[in-house]
Amino acid sequence: MEELRIGVFICHCGLNIAGSVNVKALVESCKDVEDVVFVADHRYLCSKDGQEFVYNKVKEENLNRVVIAACSPKMHEHTFKSLLSDVLNENYVEIANIREQCSWVHTNATDKAFDLIRMAIARLRFAKPIEKRRFKPIQSVLVVGGGIAGITTSLDLAKMGFDVYLVEKEPTIGGNMAKLECIFPTMDCSMCVLSPLMSEVFNDPKIHVLTNTEVVGVEGHLGNFRVRVKRRARFVNENCTSCGLCSEVCPVEVPNEFDCNLSKRKAIYIPFPQAIPPYYIVDPFSCVGCKLCLSVCDPNAIDFTQKDEELEINVGAIVIATGFKLYDGERIKELGYGLKGVFTSLEFERLLSRLDLRGKRIAFVLCAGSRDEGHKRYCSGVCCMYSIKQALMAKERGAIPYVFYIDVRALGKNEDFYRRALREGIVFVRGRVAEVREGLKVKFENTLLNKVDEMEFDYVVLALPIVPNLPFDVPKDEFGFGLSIHPKLNPVESFSRGIFLAGCCSSPKDIYESILSAHTCAIEVSKLLKGEIELEAKFARIKENCIRCGICKEVCVFNAIEGNVKDGYRVVEEVCRGCGNCSAECPVNAIEVYPSDEEIFARVENCGGGVVGFLCDWCAYNASDVAGRLKMSYPKEFKAIRVPCMARVDVKHVLKALQYADGVLIMGCYVKDCHYSSNVHALRRIDELRKYLKKLGLEDRVEVVHLSSTEGEKFVKAVREFVDRIYSRRG
Amino acid sequence: MEMMEEGVPPVINLSKLAEREETELEKKVAEIIKELGAERIMYCMQCGACASICPLAKTGFEWYNKKLIKALIVGLRDELLDDPTPWACVACNRCTEVCPRRVSPFEVMFAMRRLMAEEYAIGSLAIEGLRALYEYGHAVYMTGREARKKVGLPEKPPSTESDPKALEDLRKILKQTKLADLGLIPME
């Protein structure tokens, strides 16, 4: 092994650090630490002058490990790592946070600063170089679902230069939007806006439209997915001119799914005139095989020899845009679905221009299952608006619409649309309808007047909840919607790397929001696929002493571990995010992650007593920085160790810490916020540990605190209370 | 911080509007109602679903389920004590079925009955029922013995009436209840 030549650079940060740390004394102390060959201080290390100083000294003194004792690594870790990137591996540079976690929050902080530097030095002794892996992702994308979201994202991606495979289960693209009469708030004809986009998709040489096709399996990982799709035979080839003669002679009539089964179609049919691809299709389940259609087809487009085929597509990323379906109305019995004249909103949309609505009384029942603990707890988000739209359209056609609502949720500019409906004389009744009876008697209370009433209607339209249509194995929330990594900051990326969620499959959305999310998906995909993918090298590695118990595979949230008892287990590096959960769970310490066990032990052993805090990099570490910035003091005994996630903290780390320190604080995100969803495993392990500690009378020496990255105040309070309790101080 | 289960924030506490003098002994009436069994009263969003199917509302009783919940949340109490509505509830439980927030308006009705009983704001008819329950094991006193005899049934039905042991047990149970503390009826 090469000889260690550690250099320590201590920053004054003006008086920010030098104000409460005796830098000169600190330099002298550091010189005595084993393996340290060079120590220097500087007024501002981050300045141009300071950076040059560090760079030159590292070269001159031939240093192979460097500690920068300065501000929080969140500020300048990247600066120094990239500064030294051509002479040192990034893992050989360590920041000792002696500003936010030391000089700003303590007085006479020289001792603690020295402890923090010693901890940093100790880690460097065990640091292993991090190898970055780069690879070129495949420049094509799979889009699942050909609704408005899938169409939008496909067009974007094709324009950006990617090959797009647009897979659609139905015989045509268009999705639910194609079924709409018109769209709010502009009241445009839906098909008039949609069909140009559909043809654009069809004519784009970069987009391969695969209709009548379903995804049957996904293998591989970000940058290189292998997707198996099953393409059902259409029995009509590209020669079809959509003349429609075949359909005219076809003797079979079955309900038309596109029309919510409200009209009839033939066994050879086209779902709607603007369907894309513009070819007829034979429904093999209703076709009787008379072949009358063959005899009238002039261009010889009908081909009964076609077979289902399974294709494999190789793509770099996947966008899921499978949209929504409506909740089953039968499940809300009291609202009368199934009675004549009671429709779902989508059925009514199809019927609007066909029914004679003159003089008809129509009840629009909102929240018919949404915002309902017994059905779907969430707000479906779009029902208020489309019901107002349908009410306006019905009114135009001479009907008398009533809208029964709990709250009209006309967000943003939609309020104008609501006002328009009020102006045009649509009756809004505040009161949730609880029962619809035969004869379409609707029972309600006008809650604004405290008046219980019953009225008869000709039609009742139920605004049923929007439920996800997600036949895809991605992490889901309790309602079955696809789960995005962060609902606000990262709304379209799923927990599976390289898989994105567009449109209604992740939450109820109107067309506008669906399109926004589709554009976002296109941007995220192109960000990922352009150039090379650099894998963060902080993934887990399974070592040879693995006993093949498979626990790691079970606990991994990201499905990053593959294999079985027979062949052993392997980390899929492209998928692993390096949370460290598997390592902490491994019964034989066979999984190495960053930071390694040795590195954590080294820090603990050199903490110089006091209380050790394991801080999650996402939240608690930031919270400690916030506390520093606010100069909120807390006891000096607290010394922080940065970990990628609470789940990285192993029982053995805690036990080790208890050998060298008087208490251990484990601080991480709130369970729901965990960036790896692995928090729960950590909590379970710590609970188990507590049981043993209890027998030793030490259970109060270990505490878990949940906080968010802004909660500096909570951080300080927790540290203060814990340290004071450990040392039985009052105050 | 007053967080409720499942992370649902409490409905804006309208009791502030009523601004009652609150002493240590006197809790907010909604709190009492919660303790008396209607735990989710504060989840009510006044959608009116319960009212639309409530027989009480239909027959013109003043403080039917939705209104009663509102009144209790606002903090009315003395004003409600003399009202007969809770005693008229037929316990059909339709409101519980249709409530989108699982408030169980029926439970509120019955919690209100309990509250009223504690305040002795209880109708004489109800007291008569309780007395009969203690005396004979039936809240509604059995009639029609002649008719039973005529069709060949034993004069007394196979209930507490023909089983003194069961009646004794029932009385034991009743003595363990709040009823005994309140002393609404004589209990030997």
Side-chain angles (χ1 to χ4, degrees):
Chain A
M1 210 181 128
E2 60 170 339
E3 183 205 350
L4 284 177
R5 294 182 62 78
I6 301 178
V8 180
F9 295 87
I10 301 166
C11 184
H12 290 244
C13 200
L15 281 176
N16 278 317
I17 291 170
S20 53
V21 171
N22 184 344
V23 177
K24 288 289 168 227
L26 195 57
V27 169
E28 290 310 313
S29 319
C30 287
K31 279 180 181 161
D32 297 335
V33 180
E34 201 186 339
D35 296 330
V36 174
V37 295
F38 178 80
V39 187
D41 58 329
H42 194 281
R43 268 180 70 75
Y44 290 103
L45 278 178
C46 60
S47 67
K48 192 165 172 289
D49 178 54
Q51 290 192 35
E52 273 169 16
F53 173 71
V54 172
Y55 187 79
N56 293 335
K57 283 296 170 199
V58 168
K59 281 197 137 176
E60 274 169 35
E61 301 285 333
N62 202 14
L63 302 174
N64 55 16
R65 305 282 191 278
V66 168
V67 174
I68 306 283
C71 53
S72 165
K74 304 273 172 180
M75 298 287 293
H76 284 304
E77 185 175 41
H78 183 71
T79 315
F80 289 106
K81 284 190 170 177
S82 49
L83 170 75
L84 298 169
S85 61
D86 58 335
V87 280
L88 277 181
N89 185 283
E90 66 162 277
N91 206 22
Y92 289 164
V93 181
E94 173 72 15
I95 310 285
N97 185 351
I98 61 165
R99 190 178 76 175
E100 278 84 347
Q101 287 180 357
C102 186
S103 70
W104 272 352
V105 287
H106 310 308
T107 47
N108 295 329
T110 317
D111 297 351
K112 182 173 174 184
F114 184 51
D115 284 338
L116 293 178
I117 294 173
R118 277 197 317 163
M119 287 163 81
I121 294 170
R123 180 187 86 73
L124 286 177
R125 291 205 185 96
F126 294 93
K128 287 183 186 158
I130 283 181
E131 303 138 32
K132 284 222 162 135
R133 263 202 50 197
R134 291 160 188 273
F135 67 99
K136 188 107 182 94
I138 292 166
Q139 297 293 301
S140 60
V141 184
L142 172 76
V143 178
V144 190
I148 183 62
I151 288 172
T152 309
T153 202
S154 299
L155 286 171
D156 284 356
L157 287 164
K159 282 194 188 107
M160 290 171 179
F162 299 103
D163 278 306
V164 178
Y165 296 91
L166 178 55
V167 169
E168 169 60 56
K169 181 177 71 182
E170 301 293 325
T172 172
I173 59 170
N176 280 310
M177 187 178 167
K179 296 180 183 173
L180 305 183
E181 182 80 20
C182 71
I183 54 177
F184 67 80
T186 49
M187 301 290 259
D188 293 12
C189 151
S190 174
M191 193 48 94
C192 313
V193 251
L194 181 64
S195 69
L197 296 174
M198 287 163 65
S199 338
E200 205 182 326
V201 166
F202 186 61
N203 293 324
D204 195 314
K206 285 283 212 185
I207 304 177
H208 314 280
V209 180
L210 299 168
T211 50
N212 226 13
T213 307
E214 272 179 272
V215 175
V216 285
V218 180
E219 278 172 20
H221 50 77
L222 160 71
N224 185 6
F225 287 104
R226 293 179 303 284
V227 184
R228 276 180 297 115
V229 299
K230 189 179 172 200
R231 191 179 197 182
R232 291 187 302 275
R234 192 181 189 97
F235 303 109
V236 179
N237 61 30
E238 284 86 48
N239 296 339
C240 176
T241 57
S242 344
C243 66
L245 283 175
C246 52
S247 204
E248 270 171 40
V249 297
C250 180
V252 184
E253 270 198 344
V254 287
N256 187 355
E257 305 85 357
F258 174 76
D259 250 349
C260 304
N261 298 331
L262 296 164
S263 66
K264 291 274 176 359
R265 65 162 170 83
K266 297 293 185 68
I268 182 163
Y269 69 106
I270 191 158
F272 52 95
Q274 303 89 336
I276 292 290
Y279 310 135
Y280 275 63
I281 179 168
V282 177
D283 169 14
F285 300 106
S286 53
C287 174
V288 291
C290 67
K291 308 217 164 143
L292 274 175
C293 47
L294 270 178
S295 60
V296 293
C297 185
D298 200 33
N300 283 328
I302 303 171
D303 174 7
F304 280 103
T305 63
Q306 275 188 11
K307 293 230 154 45
D308 294 358
E309 46 186 349
E310 211 167 288
L311 312 168
E312 191 176 285
I313 308 172
N314 218 347
V315 293
I318 299 175
V319 177
I320 302 178
T322 46
F324 72 93
K325 51 193 178 198
L326 287 184
Y327 189 66
D328 184 6
E330 308 261 350
R331 296 181 65 174
I332 313 175
K333 286 208 179 66
E334 63 268 22
L335 293 182
Y337 188 64
L339 295 177
K340 197 166 175 288
V342 180
F343 301 113
T344 72
S345 43
L346 208 54
E347 286 168 353
F348 190 67
E349 190 89 29
R350 298 303 303 159
L351 287 170
L352 248 170
S353 26
R354 269 176 262 171
L355 292 171
D356 179 14
L357 295 178
R358 276 171 301 174
K360 295 282 164 61
R361 293 151 70 90
I362 307 174
F364 291 91
V365 177
L366 299 188
C367 293
S370 304
R371 304 177 69 196
D372 189 329
E373 300 270 350
H375 299 282
K376 295 290 169 191
R377 208 170 60 229
Y378 53 84
C379 167
S380 290
V382 289
C383 325
C384 288
M385 293 313 293
Y386 72 60
S387 296
I388 293 175
K389 174 196 79 179
Q390 291 182 347
L392 276 169
M393 286 195 297
K395 176 100 184 164
E396 260 170 40
R397 289 161 174 75
I400 309 158
Y402 281 69
V403 179
F404 295 92
Y405 68 97
I406 306 178
D407 302 292
V408 173
R409 295 195 163 168
L411 303 185
K413 293 192 200 171
N414 287 336
E415 183 74 11
D416 272 356
F417 193 61
Y418 172 38
R419 291 191 174 211
R420 176 178 157 197
L422 287 170
R423 253 196 332 271
E424 295 197 11
I426 287 164
V427 186
F428 284 82
V429 183
R430 191 193 179 277
R432 156 87 144 73
V433 173
E435 198 170 84
V436 178
R437 286 239 181 118
E438 199 105 19
L440 301 192
K441 291 194 185 94
V442 173
K443 289 185 165 189
F444 63 93
E445 186 205 19
N446 186 333
T447 59
L448 300 180
L449 304 174
N450 277 339
K451 193 162 161 273
V452 181
D453 213 340
E454 186 178 296
M455 268 169 84
E456 281 185 25
F457 288 92
D458 297 291
Y459 300 115
V460 171
V461 183
L462 305 178
L464 295 170
I466 277 185
V467 293
N469 183 14
L470 193 56
F472 219 90
D473 189 22
V474 285
K476 292 170 190 169
D477 67 12
E478 59 185 302
F479 306 113
F481 285 109
L483 204 58
S484 52
I485 286 193
H486 193 281
K488 284 208 184 301
L489 301 180
N490 205 344
V492 297
E493 193 175 353
S494 84
F495 267 87
S496 305
R497 268 187 116 181
I499 299 183
F500 297 87
L501 306 163
C504 279
C505 67
S506 58
S507 67
K509 292 185 181 69
D510 63 15
I511 292 170
Y512 159 77
E513 289 164 337
S514 283
I515 288 176
L516 281 184
S517 77
H519 285 315
T520 314
C521 272
I523 293 168
E524 292 289 331
V525 168
S526 94
K527 259 161 62 182
L528 209 60
L529 298 190
K530 279 273 176 228
E532 286 187 321
I533 294 180
E534 189 181 281
L535 288 179
E536 265 205 76
K538 295 174 181 174
F539 48 78
R541 281 183 211 84
I542 298 180
K543 295 189 288 194
E544 277 132 31
N545 58 332
C546 169
I547 54 166
R548 302 185 178 182
C549 64
I551 292 174
C552 49
K553 189 178 175 182
E554 268 168 45
V555 298
C556 180
V557 179
F558 303 99
N559 296 330
I561 294 176
E562 57 177 31
N564 51 45
V565 182
K566 218 170 115 230
D567 309 325
Y569 292 91
R570 195 182 78 82
V571 177
V572 187
E573 291 163 5
E574 292 83 351
V575 184
C576 176
R577 303 214 173 188
C579 63
N581 189 27
C582 53
S583 173
E585 196 74 29
C586 180
V588 292
N589 302 333
I591 304 182
E592 196 176 80
V593 278
Y594 173 91
S596 67
D597 289 340
E598 291 81 16
E599 287 171 283
I600 292 180
F601 287 156
R603 281 183 193 246
V604 168
E605 285 163 10
N606 287 280
C607 68
V611 167
V612 166
F614 290 103
L615 307 192
C616 163
D617 194 29
W618 291 96
C619 51
Y621 202 91
N622 292 331
S624 84
D625 281 355
V626 170
R629 237 167 281 143
L630 298 173
K631 315 257 169 26
M632 301 167 74
S633 78
Y634 50 85
K636 255 196 281 191
E637 287 87 346
F638 180 81
K639 282 146 202 173
I641 294 179
R642 191 176 166 205
V643 287
C645 172
M646 220 162 94
R648 173 71 191 101
V649 182
D650 194 346
V651 169
K652 59 177 181 279
H653 301 148
V654 180
L655 290 175
K656 188 71 149 186
L658 286 175
Q659 282 177 30
Y660 290 87
D662 300 318
V664 176
L665 255 182
I666 300 165
M667 301 177 120
C669 308
Y670 293 101
V671 173
K672 274 188 178 170
D673 297 344
C674 178
H675 293 70
Y676 305 103
S677 296
S678 302
N679 234 337
V680 280
H681 295 292
L683 294 176
R684 173 174 50 78
R685 285 193 292 267
I686 293 159
D687 273 352
E688 284 297 314
L689 172 67
R690 271 234 185 80
K691 283 184 203 156
Y692 292 104
L693 289 177
K694 196 164 186 182
K695 288 183 186 158
L696 301 171
L698 289 173
E699 79 272 21
D700 60 341
R701 296 300 177 102
V702 177
E703 199 171 290
V704 177
V705 178
H706 295 284
L707 32 68
S708 76
S709 61
T710 52
E711 291 182 316
E713 225 163 306
K714 185 172 175 189
F715 170 83
V716 170
K717 195 164 162 263
V719 171
R720 244 186 232 157
E721 278 174 9
F722 184 72
V723 176
D724 286 352
R725 204 186 71 216
I726 292 286
Y727 297 112
S728 306
R729 287 190 296 227
R730 305 251 156 138
Chain B
M1 205 166 66
E2 195 193 345
M3 283 293 284
M4 301 176 115
E5 47 164 329
E6 293 169 34
V8 180
V11 173
I12 297 167
N13 194 343
L14 288 169
S15 52
K16 290 241 162 54
L17 298 177
E19 280 304 338
R20 304 170 62 88
E21 281 283 321
E22 198 185 353
T23 63
E24 289 243 328
L25 289 169
E26 191 189 356
K27 282 190 207 152
K28 293 270 188 319
V29 63
E31 290 299 318
I32 298 169
I33 291 291
K34 267 194 218 169
E35 282 164 21
L36 290 175
E39 288 141 24
R40 287 176 65 95
I41 183 173
M42 294 308 260
Y43 285 74
C44 176
M45 58 175 175
Q46 294 286 303
C47 71
C50 54
S52 73
I53 44 80
C54 180
L56 294 184
K58 200 168 184 179
T59 42
F61 278 91
E62 174 77 19
W63 294 100
Y64 54 84
N65 42 24
K66 191 213 76 171
K67 267 177 90 179
L68 178 68
I69 293 172
K70 180 75 170 185
L72 290 169
I73 293 174
V74 169
L76 300 186
R77 176 191 148 106
D78 299 347
E79 297 83 344
L80 301 171
L81 287 178
D82 287 337
D83 186 73
T85 317
W87 302 104
C89 172
V90 292
C92 70
N93 249 316
R94 277 293 279 142
C95 49
T96 306
E97 281 172 23
V98 300
C99 176
R101 313 218 93 186
R102 293 210 199 112
V103 171
S104 288
F106 156 78
E107 289 291 353
V108 179
M109 269 305 167
F110 272 61
M112 191 61 200
R113 278 193 189 177
R114 290 173 199 127
L115 176 73
M116 290 164 116
E118 278 182 17
E119 298 290 327
Y120 299 99
I122 181 167
S124 51
L125 209 59
I127 290 180
E128 190 53 40
L130 290 168
R131 205 186 55 78
L133 182 68
Y134 187 80
E135 208 112 304
Y136 311 106
H138 289 266
V140 180
Y141 183 69
M142 290 285 301
T143 51
R145 292 190 180 187
E146 291 300 310
R148 288 181 66 89
K149 213 168 162 187
K150 217 183 268 175
V151 295
L153 286 170
E155 214 172 300
K156 290 179 176 178
S159 65
T160 41
E161 223 166 294
S162 54
D163 186 349
K165 169 98 178 36
L167 184 61
E168 206 45 51
D169 289 349
L170 174 73
R171 284 180 179 172
K172 265 186 206 156
I173 293 171
L174 285 176
K175 278 178 188 164
Q176 301 291 316
T177 66
K178 193 95 181 184
L179 201 56
D181 301 344
L182 290 172
L184 282 169
I185 49 167
M187 280 183 176
E188 285 311 308

